[in-house]
Amino acid sequence: MFSLTSHSSSILLICLLWSIGYGYGEVFYPRPRIVGGNRAAEGQFPHQVLLRSKTGGMCGGSIISEYYILTAAHCVASGTPPETNSPSSIIVKAGSTQILRDGKMLPVSEIIVHPDYESMQNDIALVKLENPLQFSETIKPISLATEDPPEGASVVITGWGNVREGGSKSNDLLYTTLTAVSHEKCNELVGSASESRICLAHRGVNGACDGDSGGPAVYDGKLVGVTNFVYDTCASSIPDGYASVAHYRDWIIENAKL
């Protein structure tokens, strides 16, 4: 948990970290999930995957090829300075909208964290699967955006996170629509908005929350963002932060060998 000063007030910043899994004991970190979302139909978001830590953590991710998943760095690295977790500590689940049933459980062979990842900066990573995915109606890759969504654009986010601030996680994959905010406007609201991230504003009581980290933000059928953090509380009046896929596109292509 971090604090960020904007203008004369201090705004609490919550990094969207792993959420605790079912039956795993205490919660040690803030956690991200979808607030105010609708239930997704099977196959509606075939690029969405669930990342589970063997110690109980949970994050989202996006299929970008038969071998690679794009997610947030803080989902697969920890500590200060950050150290990359062991691939054997993480399992990927694809092909289902349900946490507790259906889908395919996939072992991980490699984790590639952005070399300049630190705290909130460059919060993006790749997870390589041991075996290639077999694409189907419920398991498909998503294309990478070449530019950020325009101001005012409708952007869809998905995840299994908390359905409200301090609430329980959803067993069903949920989705909701946010609005793209310009860097200038985000700077006014937040006080600092890097060109390497996009800001998405809420359309009421909705947005990312505990358990949604690493999950996709999609505009016009393309992956534009990776869920990174929320300010203040889930679904607050302050936009949420997402790593810009367009900004990191070259790094993603090079390391995922696309």
Side-chain angles (χ1 to χ4, degrees):
M1 187 176 293
F2 304 86
S3 61
L4 179 69
T5 300
S6 174
H7 306 295
S8 60
S9 62
S10 179
I11 300 175
L12 181 65
L13 179 110
I14 303 176
C15 269
L16 298 186
L17 304 173
W18 289 102
S19 72
I20 205 71
Y22 287 92
Y24 278 103
E26 294 182 76
V27 176
F28 293 98
Y29 301 102
R31 306 154 296 160
R33 300 165 187 160
I34 299 292
V35 174
N38 300 303
R39 185 178 300 174
E42 291 293 344
Q44 186 175 1
F45 302 101
H47 54 274
Q48 172 88 49
V49 298
L50 177 70
L51 273 65
R52 295 293 294 268
S53 164
K54 291 183 178 178
T55 59
M58 185 182 90
C59 269
S62 301
I63 299 170
I64 60 170
S65 74
E66 60 180 357
Y67 272 106
Y68 284 92
I69 307 298
L70 187 65
T71 189
H74 73 257
C75 290
V76 292
S78 57
T80 305
E83 294 186 7
T84 303
N85 298 339
S86 167
S88 63
S89 69
I90 297 170
I91 196 82
V92 172
K93 181 178 180 179
S96 177
T97 61
Q98 304 293 308
I99 288 182
L100 300 178
R101 63 178 175 82
D102 303 330
K104 298 181 182 296
M105 306 300 286
L106 309 163
V108 172
S109 66
E110 184 181 8
I111 296 172
I112 305 171
V113 173
H114 194 283
D116 297 321
Y117 167 60
E118 184 177 3
S119 184
M120 298 176 293
Q121 304 302 316
N122 305 301
D123 191 359
I124 195 164
L126 289 162
V127 172
K128 184 179 182 181
L129 304 175
E130 279 191 4
N131 302 300
L133 287 165
Q134 300 299 311
F135 296 147
S136 66
E137 290 303 308
T138 57
I139 300 177
K140 293 180 182 179
I142 186 169
S143 299
L144 304 177
T146 57
E147 56 187 16
D148 291 341
E151 182 177 8
S154 296
V155 180
V156 176
I157 63 169
T158 47
W160 286 275
N162 286 6
V163 295
R164 62 181 180 280
E165 177 70 28
S168 59
K169 66 164 58 66
S170 172
N171 183 53
D172 301 296
L173 180 65
L174 301 178
Y175 68 95
T176 193
T177 302
L178 304 179
T179 301
V181 178
S182 68
H183 287 290
E184 293 75 19
K185 182 63 174 179
C186 196
N187 268 319
E188 290 179 17
L189 296 170
V190 175
S192 174
S194 168
E195 293 292 326
S196 65
R197 68 172 64 108
I198 61 175
C199 292
L200 301 180
H202 313 115
R203 297 182 173 184
V205 185
N206 72 326
C209 196
D210 302 345
D212 293 320
S213 280
V218 176
Y219 169 69
D220 197 24
K222 295 182 179 181
L223 186 65
V224 295
V226 175
T227 308
N228 278 179
F229 57 80
V230 301
Y231 285 93
D232 195 16
T233 59
C234 302
S236 74
S237 60
I238 307 297
D240 300 337
Y242 297 74
S244 166
V245 169
H247 179 87
Y248 293 105
R249 181 182 170 88
D250 289 346
W251 179 85
I252 295 168
I253 289 173
E254 178 182 355
N255 287 277
K257 303 173 180 62
L258 298 180

